[in-house]
Amino acid sequence: QVQLVESGGRLVQAGGSLRLSCTASGRTFSDYYMGWFRQAPGKEREFVAGITRSRISTFYADSVKGRFTISRDNAKNTMYLQMNSLKPEDTAVYYCAATGRALGYSTVDYDYWGQGTQVTVSS
């Protein structure tokens, strides 16, 4: 198993930037495809971004494309989400997730989850 811990969430003004981190422990981090999801109040958890094990490929939801950047440092067992040009609609709890199967866009594609970190964007 792998344990995931997110950090970096906070209150930020619209137009601002934020970097989230997800630190993994347990199994070998580079064995896992990684993803970021978010869940706003009253809404379902949605895919934000994903990255392959070797960092060769990244994938984004249309709503964040061009504003968010996902990356990972396998030597540090850490994944990042750089969020720029933040909007109030980006307000949500952000979760990192891991899977050993294949990169996916749905929550059911992932086996391990962190506890989440709150991002609030004020207008």
Side-chain angles (χ1 to χ4, degrees), residues 39-54:
Q39 187 166 20
K43 295 188 177 181
E44 293 188 353
R45 194 170 297 188
E46 64 175 3
F47 174 81
V48 174
I51 187 167
T52 55
R53 293 179 294 188
S54 59

Side-chain angles (χ1 to χ4, degrees), residues 1 41 45 52 73 83 85 106 113 123:
Q1 290 191 354
R45 194 170 297 188
T52 55
D73 185 337
M83 305 186 294
S85 302
S106 173
W113 293 85
S123 57

Side-chain angles (χ1 to χ4, degrees), residues 3-9 19-24 34-37 45 78-79 93-98 112-119:
Q3 292 77 43
L4 305 172
V5 178
E6 304 95 335
S7 61
R19 189 176 82 158
L20 305 182
S21 298
C22 171
T23 302
M34 300 295 296
W36 285 101
F37 286 74
R45 194 170 297 188
T78 303
M79 176 179 65
V93 177
Y94 283 72
Y95 298 89
C96 68
Y112 305 103
W113 293 85
Q115 83 290 346
T117 186
Q118 176 71 49
V119 173

